[in-house]
Amino acid sequence: MSFSFNDKIIETDKEGYLRYLDDWSPHIAEQLAEYENVTLSEAHWEIIALIREFYATYELSPAMRPLVKYTATQLGKEKGNSIYLMQLFPNSPAKLISKIAGLPRPKNCL
Amino acid sequence: MSNSLSSNESNTKKSSKKIGIVMRHAPYGNNLAHEALDAALATSIYGQELTLIFMGDGVFQLLHQQESKAIHQKNLEKQLTALEFYDIEKVFACKHSLDERQLKQNNLSINVAAIETEELQQLLHEQDVLLSF
């Protein structure tokens, strides 16, 4: 699958994850979020930056539990909990955040 | 929502098994090290009692300063340092294997408990399930 953005073809897998991680930019994130019916606010961007930092450090797309734990260590417990993340990114936060942040699908996600 | 989550947790606790994942091969030559890590991360989600054991050439997986970019592979060292976020805390290495390869704790990327052969045998024996990679 693919979509075009500024005359560039952006390839995704069939679940909508970017095929080439280098294609990612904040504009692409907005486009990916729109496909998922999520409107990105400051709070969303904070989490997107965080998960990209996790990936840069550990080369893993975190599943829900490590994502919650990492968020808690970096941003505190008010944000590092599953309810907060679910409010921002409904249903499957870990998968949705990875997708919008241009990372591979978390492998170990229920 | 939180109620259903906690009841799930208690269910998994009842059926909790001791699962040992044994790393026996050096990284990068084949995919075993990554398969083992995937298995460990997946298992951690189910709330099982998980133990990682590095032995034989598997202790090479623990080396620091891995430069996997040069061969276009993911960096196992970086991935291992994420174990704490997956609540994987029981990580052991065979002391004999480390000694044989002249590796010391300061050559390793993460903190592991180096254990003697007898302790290792005991540890392997205690597990309900062993997955060897």
Side-chain angles (χ1 to χ4, degrees):
Chain A
M1 281 171 54
S2 66
F3 61 90
S4 77
F5 187 83
N6 284 351
D7 295 334
K8 193 178 175 222
I9 302 291
I10 306 293
E11 283 186 48
T12 67
D13 68 8
K14 57 180 189 291
E15 288 183 78
Y17 292 85
L18 292 187
R19 180 139 306 182
Y20 304 105
L21 307 190
D22 289 343
D23 281 343
W24 190 88
S25 70
H27 292 299
I28 296 289
E30 275 167 2
Q31 185 67 66
L32 293 167
E34 199 184 310
Y35 289 140
E36 301 291 334
N37 298 316
V38 176
T39 309
L40 298 178
S41 67
E42 282 296 313
H44 292 89
W45 286 112
E46 185 177 41
I47 302 299
I48 290 169
L50 194 76
I51 201 171
R52 288 182 62 83
E53 180 187 297
F54 186 97
Y55 189 81
T57 312
Y58 302 114
E59 299 199 358
L60 289 167
S61 291
M64 193 57 189
R65 193 151 53 121
L67 177 63
V68 166
K69 212 171 166 184
Y70 185 70
T71 309
T73 61
Q74 301 296 311
L75 304 175
K77 285 234 157 83
E78 303 86 66
K79 292 175 179 173
N81 63 74
S82 47
I83 293 166
Y84 178 80
L85 295 175
M86 277 189 188
Q87 280 166 348
L88 292 173
F89 300 92
N91 300 322
S92 290
K95 282 196 240 174
L96 192 51
I97 301 166
S98 283
K99 188 185 286 182
I100 295 172
L103 306 181
R105 184 187 192 282
K107 268 190 186 162
N108 315 294
C109 222
L110 299 182
Chain B
M1 183 53 89
S2 63
N3 277 344
S4 70
L5 279 179
S6 61
S7 74
N8 272 343
E9 259 171 32
S10 62
N11 279 344
T12 53
K13 259 183 199 136
K14 266 179 228 160
S15 58
S16 172
K17 285 199 172 188
K18 288 188 162 194
I19 299 180
I21 297 185
V22 189
M23 284 70 164
R24 311 181 64 127
H25 289 86
Y28 304 116
N30 54 43
N31 214 23
L32 284 168
H34 277 110
E35 297 287 344
L37 184 70
D38 275 353
L41 299 185
T43 307
S44 75
I45 287 169
Y46 293 91
Q48 307 291 318
E49 280 186 63
L50 186 58
T51 303
L52 305 190
I53 302 155
F54 293 84
M55 57 190 287
D57 279 346
V59 297
F60 284 128
Q61 296 181 27
L62 297 164
L63 276 180
H64 71 160
Q65 295 175 339
Q66 296 178 23
E67 301 282 350
S68 62
K69 239 186 193 157
I71 51 168
H72 306 289
Q73 290 209 30
K74 288 208 173 183
N75 189 320
L76 185 68
E77 173 183 3
K78 287 186 177 183
Q79 295 180 322
L80 288 175
T81 55
L83 289 178
E84 57 168 316
F85 294 107
Y86 290 78
D87 293 327
I88 300 174
E89 283 149 3
K90 293 183 187 162
V91 185
F92 297 90
C94 168
K95 188 170 180 302
H96 178 69
S97 307
L98 289 170
D99 289 346
E100 262 184 342
R101 291 160 186 78
Q102 301 189 353
L103 298 177
K104 301 199 165 55
Q105 182 66 51
N106 63 3
N107 302 123
L108 310 182
S109 62
I110 57 170
N111 265 320
V112 294
I115 55 175
E116 300 289 348
T117 308
E118 270 176 34
E119 257 181 291
L120 181 69
Q121 284 167 346
Q122 171 105 30
L123 188 67
L124 292 170
H125 192 69
E126 281 170 8
Q127 308 301 315
D128 296 313
V129 180
L130 279 174
L131 301 173
S132 178
F133 290 87

